[in-house]
């Protein structure tokens, strides 16, 4: 399209009475009441929108206060959606904001519910929920304005079924994975130790016992034991971490320390094969460290009375130990002190949580525990220790966030929403917010760069007709593993129905107990032993989700050989060209109702600028890229990708 | 037992990860003056208050009217009829209890005319919705006192942003694609000796494929120089030969090279051997600047730059101090750590050398600077390759005869900038319109269209000063400008306010490079352009 000829002529429309009426009446769904959400609700209210529904499951935390400006200190712990709605309404009583503290993925928010809105605006921070909302918007045929931010970078895109790409037409990078063996036995980077401390040790000590981490299970097998041995070993290992009756918290912390930083390390050293090309780790001895440490932990356990009725949320081992600087790396002795103290505090003062705790980046004590444990492990493996601050960032996948970016992005969302309500979807743009000086090929500085929205990708497995290909070991992989690792984690399907010739499996609240029990019998079976011939090489499996109105077709290839370094997940999922191309893009019905407002669209002034560089690379398939190729990308690419994937860039997958 | 509460680091956790504790400290000592607190000004200041500045003073002489409630979130019904500055100030203080705030109920224009000294003690003045004539006076006042100025304005669906300051020196420019200098082209003695101590031919298979690529490249460079009169490979033929030399060192089985990850890393990084390792032109310009003639009141930046210059001339032998960071590479943990130590040791000794020069320089010039910490010297050395100095043009240059009209002329004919350049000219034309008619076009009782010819006359005059002819969008933009009626739309104000606060944070933290010209945001096309005039 010629730049000067294309006419986003909404300035006249924006002042039109008809549009103002339309904005007043439009039913808007705002998903998320966090950094973007707060700004968005405010800007919507002040732009003349009066019917807004906001959904957010989170509660307010202290670290939100510096940019989620609708919240005050007194609101910490309350629902983000509710507090935000009240705050905006108090200032603008004419704007009706209905708030729900809930997960947008809950089944009551079905296609029928989504159909009740004229527009959906996303201010979400996790990829899973963004993909879910995308699918419901497609099914309900409601236009979606999507957004994402990371530090100074941000982007706003518009998705209309049949007209523009859906959110998933360009594959999104999936979480980064690390080989289990590296995490368990041969870490060589701080992140390996952090992942170990957070997903393995923290989970073992304080988490739910019945959640057997993928890491535990696969690791035992990886050491070359048989299935039976592995199960026994895992059970034995798990039982070790149970606190004995009458055992003091001090004795327990001591015992765990010795086990994981001495006994286990010695055991790993004995696996000679591992150390042919590597330097073996060095075990830590607590008595030596304790000697070096001044105020060691209390041998009598810690009681509520002795710590002056501190709120459990404020518990901090560092504070009790007088360690102030969160930016400096601790000495090994300090790490040992923090490890012991944090373990004791957990057992003595947060005992009700033990057995059910979930790691949370804003839980100071949990972060201290993870920092201490990962630094101790780093010491064993001659990896440089990191500061508490750095570890918190890495453990929590903390996305850098600043108020200014949220402000800009929210304004851009509303600008696109107004164009949509004005019945001018052709004037919508994808807008990219760059860091300070981005000099394009023309040598010109710019902060905001628009680009034309692309038509739907016919190869998109979500809104198109593409078939996916899956390479997997159909003999070793169980049906449950397929559901958990491929269907839920990779494909973001919430409530899967699986079908192939002669077999069907369903999930969902509509099933009765007997059905659930019947289906559960299949879960532990290897794929090739499932009924009706099982899932094997060349099987075509249909995966669907009724709530998401999603239907995917997967063609399976049996693959036994997997390189653990390259494919730690031991499967590979790829896109495949569609058999037949999609129908010609249909006239979009969802915005047809708005086109009565295009009367003013005769203004031919051209203000259209095409951004010079594509901000996102389109990937040829869905296979998650490996570490090395990630590092080859420029930092800006990586960060843009992060902007698109908020906060999900690091997760252990076996 | 000592109770330590550190609520601040918790509150600012997410942003600390971007500009660091020292950046946050700079923000926390910043005093901001805001002129006019309509939606544009209020939203800009709101973003900075959330970031944690020390304090602010709002100057606005108007009272809150019903229409203000429609577009300014920081005012509510209770404020009707009261001072706008007071209303906004009290709500902003509620947003962050560690920020102090005050207000002056006076028209900014009057304050600029009557009390220029008022602005002396601020770190940054944010002037919003002010006309050209007033901005010119304010710019002179701020420059005379070394106070940085940020001009922000939203006008209908258009908004502008402009920084003005005599000098803004940035150490932490944080470029996106910085390539570290690893000295492959000219290793210092310790690095050279360390690299040469490994005998490739004598190594066992495992060692051979775990030798860091940096060592491979340094050995290859040594080998190459020995056969080429000490010169580096130049031209594509020699570069191919250089890579072939590396390849010839790979282990082979039956004449076929074995795949070794360290060697493939060496191939991909070979270009680092011959890529630019001189002193970047921006840094060279700083080293040749007039400010390098120091006196007792020279700033920390210039004293450090002078020390840097001496280092380059003496110990550095033409090179900048070593950054000292080693990228991740395929190697045994042990070897990697050893190599890292070699780089870190050299970087530390470079810092010490610069520090020694600095002490001498401070003494020689009887400098008033009490102390510059080693951490500061280290930060300067680490970023030496990316130092930037920005001298913003005076507003009187941009608005007067020394305006770079050629830049505007060019923009007016460039397809992707013509509309924004037209809008820029029209925004200046509305100010001239105001000088003649005492109101902005479209804000009078008569229908907006009736004022188009009057605005066209002003804009036409400006256009002929520039020496340009109207762009195709000219008439449409003129009509839009009249229809805007100088209104501030909240969504446009929120967007430009976000950008303005971001530029403000760059100025206050001295991190990242601010926009050097006038930024025009056009909400119709979702575009921005920057004109350095
Ligand atoms: Zn799609």
């Amino acid at each position: 399209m010629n730049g000067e000829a294309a006419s986003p002529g909404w300035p006249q429309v924006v002042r039109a009475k008809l549009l103002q009426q339309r904005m007043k009446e439009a039913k808007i769904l705002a998903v998320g009441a966090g950094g973007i959400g707060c700004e968005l609700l405010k800007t919507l209210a002040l732009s003349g929108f009066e019917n807004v529904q906001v959904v957010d499951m989170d509660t307010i935390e202290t670290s939100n206060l510096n940019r989620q400006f609708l919240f005050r200190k007194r609101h910490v712990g309350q629902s983000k959606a509710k507090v935000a709605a009240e705050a905006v309404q108090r200032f603008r009583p004419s704007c009706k904001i209905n708030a729900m503290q809930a997960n947008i993925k809950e089944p009551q928010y079905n296609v029928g519910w989504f159909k009740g809105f004229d527009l959906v605006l996303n201010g979400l921070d996790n990829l899973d929920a963004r993909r879910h909302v995308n699918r419901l918007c497609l099914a309900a045929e409601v236009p979606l304005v999507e957004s994402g931010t990371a530090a100074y970078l941000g982007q706003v895109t518009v998705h209309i079924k049949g007209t523009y790409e859906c959110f998933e037409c360009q594959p999104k990078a999936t979480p980064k994975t690390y080989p289990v063996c590296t995490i368990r036995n041969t870490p060589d980077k701080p992140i390996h130790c952090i992942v170990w401390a957070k997903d393995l040790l923290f989970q073992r000590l304080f988490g739910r016992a019945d959640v057997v981490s993928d890491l535990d299970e696969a690791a035992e097998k990886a050491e070359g034991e048989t299935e039976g041995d592995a199960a026994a070993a895992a059970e034995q290992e798990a039982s070790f971490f149970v606190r004995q009756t009458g055992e003091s918290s001090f004795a327990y912390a001591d015992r765990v320390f010795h086990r994981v930083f001495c006994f286990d390390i010695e055991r790993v050293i004995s696996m000679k094969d591992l150390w042919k090309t590597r330097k073996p780790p060095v075990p830590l001895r607590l008595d030596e460290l304790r000697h070096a440490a001044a105020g060691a932990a209390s041998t009598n356990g810690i009681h509520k009375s002795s710590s002056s009725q501190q709120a459990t949320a404020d518990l901090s081992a560092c504070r009790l130990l007088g360690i102030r600087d969160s930016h400096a790396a601790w000495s090994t002795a300090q790490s040992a002190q923090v490890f012991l103290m944090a373990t004791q505090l957990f057992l003595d003062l947060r005992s009700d949580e033990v057995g059910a705790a979930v790691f949370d980046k804003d839980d100071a004590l949990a972060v201290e525990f993870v920092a201490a444990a990962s630094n101790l492990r780093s010491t064993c493996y001659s990896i440089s220790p990191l500061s508490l601050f750095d570890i918190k960032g890495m453990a929590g996948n903390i996305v850098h966030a600043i108020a200014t970016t949220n402000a800009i992005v929210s304004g851009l969302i509303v600008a696109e929403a107004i164009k949509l309500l004005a019945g001018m979807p052709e004037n919508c743009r994808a807008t990219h917010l760059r860091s300070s000086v981005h000099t394009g090929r023309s040598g010109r500085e710019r902060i905001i760069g628009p680009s034309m929205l692309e038509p739907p990708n016919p190869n998109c497995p979500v809104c198109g007709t593409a078939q996916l290909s899956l390479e997997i070991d159909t003999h070793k992989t169980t049906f449950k593993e397929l559901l958990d690792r491929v269907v839920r984690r990779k494909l973001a399907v919430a409530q899967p129905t699986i079908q192939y010739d002669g077999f069907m499996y369903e999930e969902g609240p509509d099933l009765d107990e007997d059905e659930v029990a019947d289906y559960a019998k299949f879960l532990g079976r290897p794929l090739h032993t499932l009924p009706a011939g099982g899932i094997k090489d060349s099987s075509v499996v249909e995966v669907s989700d009724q709530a998401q109105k999603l239907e995917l077709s997967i063609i399976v290839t049996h693959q036994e050989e997997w390189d653990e370094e390259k494919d730690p997940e031991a499967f590979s999922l790829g896109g495949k060209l569609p058999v037949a191309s999609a129908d010609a893009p249909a006239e979009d019905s969802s915005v047809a109702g708005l086109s009565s407002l295009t009367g003013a669209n005769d203004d031919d002034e051209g203000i259209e600028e095409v951004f010079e560089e594509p901000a996102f690379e389109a990937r040829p398939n869905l296979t998650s890229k490996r570490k090395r190729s990630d590092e080859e990308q420029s930092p800006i690419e990586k960060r843009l990708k992060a902007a698109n994937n908020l906060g999900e860039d690091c997760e252990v997958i076996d | 037992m000592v109770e330590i509460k550190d609520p601040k680091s918790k509150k600012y956790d997410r942003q600390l990860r971007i500009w660091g504790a020292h950046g946050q400290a700079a923000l926390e000592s910043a005093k901001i003056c805001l002129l006019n607190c309509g939606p544009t000004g209020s939203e800009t200041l709101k973003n900075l208050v959330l970031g944690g500045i020390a304090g602010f003073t709002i100057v606005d002489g108007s009272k809150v009217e019903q229409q203000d409630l429609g577009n300014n979130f920081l005012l509510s019904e209770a404020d009707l009829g009261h001072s706008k500055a007071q209303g906004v100030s009290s709500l902003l203080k509620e947003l962050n209890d560690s920020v102090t705030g005050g207000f002056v109920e006076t028209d900014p224009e009057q304050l600029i005319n009557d009390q220029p000294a008022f602005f002396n003690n601020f770190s940054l003045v944010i002037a919003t919705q002010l006309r050209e004539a007033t901005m010119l006076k304010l710019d002179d006042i701020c420059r005379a006192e070394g106070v940085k100025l940020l001009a922000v304005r939203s006008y209908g669906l258009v908004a502008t942003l402009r920084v003005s300051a005599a000098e803004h020196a940035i150490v932490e420019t944080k470029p996106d694609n910085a390539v570290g200098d690893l000295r492959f082209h000219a290793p210092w003695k310790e690095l050279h000796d360390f690299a040469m101590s490994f005998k490739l031919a004598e190594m066992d298979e495992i060692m051979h494929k775990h030798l860091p690529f940096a060592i491979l490249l340094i050995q290859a460079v040594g080998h190459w120089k020995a056969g080429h009169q000490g010169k580096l490979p130049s031209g594509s033929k020699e570069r191919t030969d250089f890579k072939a030399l590396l390849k010839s060192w790979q282990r082979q089985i039956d004449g076929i090279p074995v795949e070794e990850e360290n060697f493939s890393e060496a191939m991909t990084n070979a270009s680092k051997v011959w890529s630019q390792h001189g002193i970047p032109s921006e840094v060279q310009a700083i080293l040749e600047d007039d400010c390098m003639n120091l006196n007792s009141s020279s700033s920390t930046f210039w004293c450090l730059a002078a020390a840097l210059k001496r280092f380059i001339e003496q110990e550095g032998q033409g090179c900048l101090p070593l950054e000292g960071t080693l990228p991740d590479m395929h190697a045994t943990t042990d070897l990697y750590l050893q190599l890292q130590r070699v780089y870190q040791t050299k970087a530390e000794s470079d810092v010490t050398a610069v520090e020694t020069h600095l002490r001498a320089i401070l003494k020689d010039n009887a400098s008033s600077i009490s102390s510059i910490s080693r951490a500061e010297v280290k930060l300067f050395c680490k970023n030496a390759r990316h130092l930037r100095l920005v001298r913003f043009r005076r507003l009187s240059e941009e608005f007067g005869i020394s305006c770079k009209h050629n830049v505007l002329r060019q923009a007016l004919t460039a397809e992707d900038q013509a509309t924004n350049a037209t809008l820029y000219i029209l925004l200046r034309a509305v100010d001239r319109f105001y000088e003649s008619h005492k109101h902005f076009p479209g804000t009078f009782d008569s229908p907006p269209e009736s004022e188009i010819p009057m605005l066209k006359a002003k804009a036409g005059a400006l256009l002929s000063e520039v020496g340009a002819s109207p762009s195709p969008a000219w008439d449409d933009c003129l009509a839009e400008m009249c229809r805007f009626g100088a209104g501030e739309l909240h969504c446009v104000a929120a967007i430009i306010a976000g950008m303005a606060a971001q530029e403000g944070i760059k100025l206050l933290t001295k991190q990242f490079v601010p926009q050097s010209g006038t930024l025009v945001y056009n909400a119709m096309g979702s575009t921005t352009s920057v004109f350095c005039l």
Side-chain angles (χ1 to χ4, degrees), chain A residues 165-166 168-169 457 460 462-464:
Chain A
E165 280 184 340
C166 83
E168 294 173 271
C169 276
N457 174 5
C460 172
V462 176
C463 73

